[in-house]
Amino acid sequence: MTERIWEDLLSEQDKQVITKAGYDKEGASSWESRGLGTNPMVLVIDMQRLIVGENEHILDAVEEYRTAMGHIAWEAIEEIQPFLSFVREHEIPITYTRVVPSSYDDPTHPDLDIVDAVGPEPGDTVIDKSYASAFYGTDLLSRLVRGGHDSVIIVGNSTSGCVRATAVDAKQNGFSVLLPQECIFDRIEASHKIGLLDLWMKYAEVLERSEVQAYIEESIA
């Protein structure tokens, strides 16, 4: 059973609302927010040097890049690496995004590179974006439709920013959304936990990485 990492933030009333209103079993009442799909694409969100930083405490990492998350990112990378290997073994397509800030005139600047530890391999797709959502101003929707995909599995960062924006847009475009929680991260712990809670209640299924892999083996392989 999934360990809900946000439980420690909830009051007793919060827990009762979630249970009594059925969010723990059904998610949002206005649409199917817990569907898993049968033909997913994996989206790897913004695993770039200026966001990941060095494998050191975040307070040290931000001295080089103010956006870097240091050890927080690298703890997630330890989960993302085996997960990407697993989905490649099962021939699930992977699309990476890179955010290109307006402050960078050169989109090939090394700061914007995806870190080697979870970098793309031949056959993977890389999409550049200017805003939070991987859908905004890109051809991601067309790629999903052309590939006959009914769902996305999202890893990367940040939970409260680009992951959230991408998950919401995916749901609004009719795709099921699945989040392996150990493979997602944010610089602020509260933002991470609350972001996952909000997404779980309204837009996505949130599971542990092992549960996502079991789902893939049972339902897709």
Side-chain angles (χ1 to χ4, degrees):
M1 184 175 180
T2 307
E3 179 182 353
R4 305 297 183 190
I5 65 169
W6 53 80
E7 287 288 326
D8 61 327
L9 299 181
L10 300 177
S11 68
E12 187 58 36
Q13 176 178 290
D14 293 335
K15 295 175 183 178
Q16 291 179 20
V17 168
I18 288 170
T19 301
K20 191 167 185 177
Y23 285 101
D24 55 334
K25 295 182 173 61
E26 299 181 37
S29 61
S30 301
W31 49 80
E32 178 52 61
S33 61
R34 298 282 170 77
L36 294 180
T38 58
N39 185 18
M41 175 186 286
V42 172
L43 304 180
V44 184
I45 306 297
D46 302 351
M47 295 298 296
Q48 298 161 259
R49 184 182 174 193
L50 81 165
I51 298 172
V52 172
E54 297 297 323
N55 191 0
E56 58 190 0
H57 196 280
I58 186 172
L59 293 179
D60 297 317
V62 296
E63 292 184 6
E64 182 177 9
Y65 302 108
R66 65 185 295 267
T67 52
M69 300 191 216
H71 73 286
I72 295 172
W74 285 96
E75 286 176 2
I77 284 173
E78 292 180 3
E79 301 285 345
I80 295 172
Q81 278 181 322
F83 182 69
L84 293 181
S85 296
F86 176 87
V87 298
R88 286 191 173 101
E89 290 173 3
H90 289 78
E91 300 182 343
I92 295 173
I94 301 173
T95 294
Y96 288 76
T97 68
R98 298 190 323 150
V99 61
V100 181
S102 57
S103 57
Y104 281 82
D105 296 327
D106 179 9
T108 66
H109 195 287
D111 289 355
L112 305 179
D113 289 347
I114 297 167
V115 296
D116 291 340
V118 289
E121 296 186 0
D124 296 339
T125 299
V126 179
I127 294 174
D128 286 352
K129 64 187 180 72
S130 300
Y131 295 93
S133 174
F135 287 85
Y136 187 83
T138 75
D139 67 348
L140 176 58
L141 178 57
S142 296
R143 290 178 180 274
L144 288 164
V145 171
R146 287 200 306 270
H149 300 290
D150 60 0
S151 53
V152 295
I153 302 172
I154 301 175
V155 304
N157 75 102
S158 65
T159 317
S160 62
C162 296
V163 168
R164 178 184 173 86
T166 299
V168 172
D169 276 0
K171 176 55 62 177
Q172 291 178 149
N173 278 290
F175 300 96
S176 296
V177 181
L178 180 54
L179 306 176
Q181 64 181 12
E182 302 98 325
C183 299
I184 297 168
F185 59 98
D186 204 318
R187 58 184 52 80
I188 303 297
E189 184 178 8
S191 297
H192 176 58
K193 291 182 176 182
I194 293 169
L196 280 180
L197 167 63
D198 285 346
L199 287 166
W200 170 75
M201 285 185 66
K202 303 167 187 173
Y203 304 108
E205 180 63 271
V206 179
L207 299 174
E208 294 175 0
R209 175 169 68 88
S210 61
E211 295 174 308
V212 176
Q213 293 182 186
Y215 150 71
I216 290 172
E217 287 184 326
E218 294 169 6
S219 304
I220 298 172

